[in-house]
Amino acid sequence: MTDLDLEREAYPIPGPPNSSLADILERVLDKGIVIAGDIKIDLLDIELLTIRLRLFVASVDTAKKAGIDWWETDPALSSRAAHNSLLDENRELRARLEALESKPEESSDQA
């Protein structure tokens, strides 16, 4: 070994402080992280397909602070939203049926 090799072993190079996966996940969920990307397929300078991907990873509280709460109103994700959706549809159908039944019969007037 040379003197240079001994000096490297004597003084290790300090690295970044160790963080556990839980610490990193807690920071990401607390602050949120946005990942964005575009996929574009061209053939002979003709755009065939463009896909834009946006991913926002955050806790529910952080997402609500950012104004994102679509899961609360999506019937596929919320039983309350699904129930409300069915009630709205039922109300609409009843109103249409009532409007149809209250119309005078046009076929008997024309005969």
Side-chain angles (χ1 to χ4, degrees):
M1 281 190 157
T2 66
D3 290 336
L4 187 58
D5 290 334
L6 290 175
E7 286 180 21
R8 282 189 198 149
E9 290 177 15
Y11 302 104
I13 299 171
N18 290 339
S19 296
S20 70
L21 182 60
D23 293 336
I24 294 169
L25 186 60
E26 182 180 345
R27 269 188 246 146
V28 165
L29 291 177
D30 185 44
K31 301 292 181 187
I33 185 171
V34 175
I35 301 169
D38 295 336
I39 299 171
K40 190 174 178 183
I41 299 174
D42 292 343
L43 179 65
L44 301 173
D45 291 330
I46 299 171
E47 186 176 323
L48 297 177
L49 178 67
T50 300
I51 299 173
R52 294 178 175 244
L53 303 171
R54 304 291 182 259
L55 177 65
F56 178 62
V57 179
S59 68
V60 171
D61 293 333
T62 304
K64 283 184 177 181
K65 288 177 189 174
I68 301 170
D69 62 353
W70 50 263
W71 61 87
E72 292 180 347
T73 57
D74 188 342
L77 299 173
S78 168
S79 60
R80 187 175 336 135
H83 181 70
N84 291 342
S85 175
L86 288 174
L87 287 177
D88 291 342
E89 183 181 5
N90 192 3
R91 216 174 284 124
E92 181 184 331
L93 290 172
R94 286 180 186 273
R96 288 175 63 188
L97 181 62
E98 196 173 299
L100 287 172
E101 288 177 346
S102 65
K103 266 187 180 178
E105 291 206 23
E106 296 175 11
S107 60
S108 62
D109 293 340
Q110 294 175 353

